């Protein structure tokens, strides 16, 4: 009667390290014992190991992408009070959270509403759902990103800084039209919008409608050009809460 060959566990561990299969390295022993006990065919044993490796890779990848997204804590769709914002369609939001279609096309999403209307919560919740569905997103206050881009311009690295943002399928710019900006700030924002136009998506929250953006930006011509690019491929929604503030 033939006997199964002895497995050099230490050597196998080294090989799995070399192949960058850490999950299989940790679970193969238990799975091998179960396979022997239950008489699994080799194909089932191999498939089970591969499935767990892929699942763990997805978990780690999503964890990395959540960490880099800088999403505010606790802002999920489950705790968003859709009933308090009747102008927002829950079905439409859930469709947007899949990301297919609009992110592939570099389309935009613009949320208007007064403070307390729920737009920042909703933007963060959409970002969270998209990351969990495999997309990459970055949530930032618009003023913070503008400051970073202005520093890059002074250091003659603005083009590179904007290019690095391409790794994000979605940039969430919170409080886009909250405070007045000078010419330099308007300029870097316009360059960012132009660079992502029809390639990468933006999600913008703003407390002032387009008709009032000339009060925010000092250059009406540049503002008009920026708005044209933003709305060309965009979904526009209004967050008007009728109950307690949600942001």
């Amino acid at each position: 009667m033939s006997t199964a060959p002895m497995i050099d566990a230490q050597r196998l561990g080294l090989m799995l390290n070399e192949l960058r299969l850490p999950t299989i390295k940790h679970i193969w022993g238990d799975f091998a014992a179960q396979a022997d006990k239950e008489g699994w065919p080799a194909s089932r044993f191999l498939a089970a190991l591969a499935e767990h490796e892929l699942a763990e890779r997805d978990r780690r990848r999503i964890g990395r992408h959540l960490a880099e997204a800088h999403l505010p804590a606790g802002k999920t769709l489950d705790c968003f009070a859709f009933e308090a914002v009747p102008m927002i369609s829950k079905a439409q939001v859930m469709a947007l959270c899949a990301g297919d279609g609009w992110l592939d096309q570099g389309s935009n999403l613009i949320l208007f509403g007064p403070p307390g209307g729920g737009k920042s919560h909703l933007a963060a919740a959409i970002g969270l759902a998209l990351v969990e569905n495999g997309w990459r997103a970055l949530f930032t206050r618009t003023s913070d990103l503008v400051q970073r881009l202005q520093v890059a311009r002074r250091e003659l690295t603005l083009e590179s800084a904007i290019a690095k943002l391409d790794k994000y399928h979605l940039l969430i710019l919170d409080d886009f039209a909250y405070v007045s900006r000078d010419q330099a700030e308007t300029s870097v924002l316009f360059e960012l919008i132009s660079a992502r136009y029809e390639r990468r998506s933006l999600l913008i929250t703003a407390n002032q409608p387009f008709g009032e953006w000339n009060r925010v930006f000092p250059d009406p011509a540049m503002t008009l050009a920026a708005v044209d690019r933003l709305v060309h491929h965009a979904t526009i929604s209004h967050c008007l809460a009728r109950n307690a503030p949600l942001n």
Side-chain angles (χ1 to χ4, degrees):
M1 182 176 67
S2 63
T3 58
M6 295 296 294
I7 299 297
D8 185 336
Q10 184 175 6
R11 182 168 179 269
L12 179 58
L14 292 173
M15 290 190 291
L16 292 172
N17 280 339
E18 186 69 19
L19 292 169
R20 298 181 181 178
L21 299 171
T23 302
I24 292 179
K25 176 187 174 182
H26 286 97
I27 69 173
W28 77 266
D30 291 339
F31 273 66
Q34 184 177 359
D36 289 342
K37 180 179 179 180
E38 299 179 6
W40 291 3
S43 58
R44 180 182 176 186
F45 175 55
L46 181 59
L49 293 176
E51 287 172 1
H52 279 74
E53 183 69 48
L54 289 173
E56 181 61 19
R57 286 187 181 185
D58 282 344
R59 188 193 66 79
R60 292 196 302 267
R61 175 178 51 79
I62 290 174
R64 292 194 303 270
H65 292 174
L66 284 174
E68 73 180 10
H70 298 293
L71 295 162
K75 306 299 185 182
T76 69
L77 290 175
D78 288 340
C79 63
F80 184 80
F82 282 96
E83 68 279 2
V85 193
M87 300 182 72
I88 297 293
S89 165
K90 184 175 182 179
Q92 183 183 35
V93 169
M94 300 308 294
L96 289 169
C97 288
D100 299 326
W102 71 288
L103 291 184
D104 288 327
Q105 298 170 7
S107 299
N108 301 319
L109 175 59
I110 303 171
L111 302 178
F112 286 112
K119 56 189 183 297
S120 294
H121 183 150
L122 184 58
I126 291 172
L128 174 61
L130 287 169
V131 171
E132 291 176 341
N133 283 328
W135 303 92
R136 298 179 75 175
L138 174 65
F139 184 101
T140 177
R141 288 180 60 89
T142 305
S143 56
D144 293 340
L145 183 58
V146 164
Q147 290 177 13
R148 287 168 50 193
L149 294 179
Q150 285 187 295
V151 170
R153 165 163 282 174
R154 288 195 296 269
E155 296 175 349
L156 305 179
T157 59
L158 179 60
E159 184 176 350
S160 175
I162 291 177
K164 288 179 180 178
L165 294 172
D166 265 6
K167 70 179 181 180
Y168 299 108
H169 300 99
L170 180 67
L171 280 185
I172 303 172
L173 303 183
D174 196 31
D175 290 335
F176 188 84
Y178 189 69
V179 294
S180 297
R181 297 187 172 87
D182 60 27
Q183 185 69 43
E185 292 175 321
T186 305
S187 177
V188 294
L189 266 179
F190 180 76
E191 292 194 44
L192 175 65
I193 292 167
S194 296
R196 294 182 71 88
Y197 178 57
E198 295 189 317
R199 297 189 315 103
R200 287 294 199 223
S201 298
L202 294 167
L203 194 169
I204 288 172
T205 74
N207 67 343
Q208 298 184 37
F210 290 130
E212 298 182 19
W213 279 22
N214 281 338
R215 302 178 185 178
V216 179
F217 301 114
D219 186 337
M222 186 176 290
T223 302
L224 180 60
V227 170
D228 284 343
R229 285 164 173 76
L230 288 174
V231 303
H232 185 202
H233 303 288
T235 298
I236 300 173
S237 296
H238 296 268
C239 294
L240 299 173
R242 63 189 180 195
N243 295 320
L246 299 169
N247 276 343

